[in-house]
Structure formats: C-alpha cells, structure tokens
Amino acid sequence: KQEVTQIPAALSVPEGENLVLNCSFTDSAIYNLQWFRQDPGKGLTSLLLIQSSQREQTSGRLNASLDKSSGRSTLYIAASQPGDSATYLCAVRFLQGGSEKLVFGKGTKLTVNP
Amino acid sequence: ETGVTQTPRHLVMGMTNKKSLKCEQHLGHNAMYWYKQSAKKPLELMFVYSLEERVENNSVPSRFSPECPNSSHLFLHLHTLQPEDSALYLCASSLFRDTLGYGYTFGSGTRLTVV
C-alpha cells in the first residue's frame, strides 16, 4: 500500500529558528513530490514541486530535498517567521499500474512564536 | 487567489437538503478533482475528471454526485447527507490527469457542515 507519513504531527519553534519538516513514503516508484501549505480552514497553496529525477528545489527561504531510494523528503525553512505558521502537507505522486496516484500525508502543523 | 475558485466558502445544510458546490478554473487545465478533508485525516480523493469525463470514483457514496459540464467547471451535487460528511471539500486542477512533472493547483475549499 502506498502511504505518506509526516513527522512530527506538530511543531512549535521560536521566531528566527531554522527548521526541518519530514516526509517519508513507502514506494520509490514516484513521478514527483509536492509540498503544500494550508492555513486554517483554507485551501492548499503549492510551495515546491520536485520531479523524481531531481534532488532538491529552492524557493526563497524554503528548500525541499528528495531521496527516492530511502523514500524521504525534507522541507527546510530558514529563519522562520510567525507568518510561516500553517500546516505543511507533503503529497507524493506514485506510479500505479499504467497511471498515477497522488497520496497526501496528514501534515505537520507548524507554529512559529514571536 | 490560486486560479481555482470555489463557491460557496461556507455551507450549512440539513440532512434533507439538496445543495451544490462549484469549482471554476481558467488556467487551461484539463483535469479536475474533488477532495475531502476531514479532521486529522489525510486528504481523500473523491472524483477525477479528465477532459470532462469522469475517470475515477473512489468508492464515494451516491449522495455525492459530481458534474463536469466543461473543462473549466466542476460541480459536486449533495443530497441527503449525513453529519459525518461535514468536512472541507477541496477542488483541484492540473494540466492533464497523468501529468509528468506538473503539480496540482487547489482552490480555497468549501467548509460544509451538515446538521
């Protein structure tokens, strides 16, 4: 069964700290992996998309890495700010037969304290 | 705004009501999706439409009925729902269904409460 696990479920850090969110997946046969941000009661905002052939992607203070062989991805947030407080979701696009399937993790709820 | 617009943002309905959720995108995407997000659960894929044709139905009860009249619009018709159907319903789109290298764009969701 193709599953995506995110640890920790919740994280609270002081402002300015660098932090890492983790995502692990059970099957290395993937097309890509996408990190999303979700604010309370809102939809998802795409942050970074990493293709299966890539090792990392960067956008501003965010850096996402992908290690397919070990089934892991990390989202690194530098110099965290209170505005970064949100739930971060990892979604993996698995190969499934001749098609693909997008599977989400349950997310990590991040709180950045001023 | 992401380019995917969902209405209404909030909906409260009784178990005997009939209502519809609407999703609209003008990104030129050809695949659209309905997801359900319940508390403390991963997003659950409900339906997938590709080029206006339903290509996936993940064992969703018949009280949820999707409709895709064209590639820009997607509806979710609701009738005789149960309180456990209360959730955030998210619409998403992508360039094509089997897009190698393309991500999804999500709407802001409709918060549904069934009373």
Side-chain angles (χ1 to χ4, degrees):
Chain A
K1 185 181 177 184
Q2 294 160 329
E3 294 182 344
V4 177
T5 304
Q6 290 187 249
I7 294 173
L11 180 63
S12 182
V13 301
E15 182 176 2
E17 192 162 299
N18 301 326
L19 58 101
V20 174
L21 306 180
N22 297 294
C23 173
S24 60
F25 45 95
T26 53
D27 187 345
S28 62
I30 70 170
Y31 279 150
N32 57 39
L33 183 147
Q34 194 166 3
W35 282 94
F36 293 90
R37 168 188 172 135
Q38 186 175 29
D39 292 286
K42 302 284 183 66
L44 278 63
T45 300
S46 179
L47 298 173
L48 290 164
L49 172 68
I50 311 178
Q51 310 302 332
S52 61
S53 59
Q54 296 176 320
R55 299 282 294 190
E56 66 177 343
Q57 281 286 338
T58 298
S59 176
R61 294 182 294 110
L62 305 179
N63 176 279
S65 69
L66 174 64
D67 184 342
K68 264 198 325 178
S69 60
S70 65
R72 292 172 189 260
S73 175
T74 61
L75 179 66
Y76 175 83
I77 302 177
S80 58
Q81 302 170 357
D84 295 330
S85 298
T87 296
Y88 290 81
L89 295 164
C90 171
V92 179
R93 204 162 204 169
F94 290 103
L95 278 165
Q96 182 174 294
S99 186
E100 49 80 28
K101 179 181 179 183
L102 188 68
V103 179
F104 282 82
K106 292 184 180 181
T108 293
K109 184 177 180 181
L110 173 66
T111 303
V112 181
N113 302 301
Chain B
E1 288 296 332
T2 63
V4 177
T5 303
Q6 289 187 244
T7 54
R9 296 294 294 269
H10 301 273
L11 177 62
V12 179
M13 61 185 287
M15 290 192 285
T16 58
N17 291 159
K18 288 185 181 181
K19 297 285 184 182
S20 296
L21 310 185
K22 180 181 177 182
C23 177
E24 185 173 352
Q25 59 89 10
H26 296 286
L27 301 170
H29 289 175
N30 295 287
M32 297 185 77
Y33 313 79
W34 279 117
Y35 280 86
K36 175 183 179 182
Q37 187 176 36
S38 305
K40 299 183 181 179
K41 283 186 173 183
L43 268 73
E44 300 171 81
L45 179 64
M46 300 175 72
F47 301 104
V48 180
Y49 275 82
S50 177
L51 299 172
E52 302 156 39
E53 180 182 340
R54 191 191 312 180
V55 295
E56 198 166 335
N57 176 348
N58 284 323
S59 304
V60 179
S62 60
R63 57 186 183 269
F64 294 91
S65 175
E67 179 191 2
C68 187
N70 55 63
S71 60
S72 298
H73 294 85
L74 183 66
F75 294 90
L76 187 62
H77 303 300
L78 316 171
H79 65 96
T80 57
L81 294 191
Q82 305 297 312
E84 60 263 30
D85 296 322
S86 299
L88 181 68
Y89 288 84
L90 291 163
C91 174
S93 69
S94 62
L95 186 58
F96 291 105
R97 181 194 173 203
D98 293 322
T99 47
L100 301 182
Y102 293 96
Y104 284 44
T105 302
F106 277 81
S108 298
T110 294
R111 172 67 63 184
L112 173 68
T113 304
V114 181
V115 297

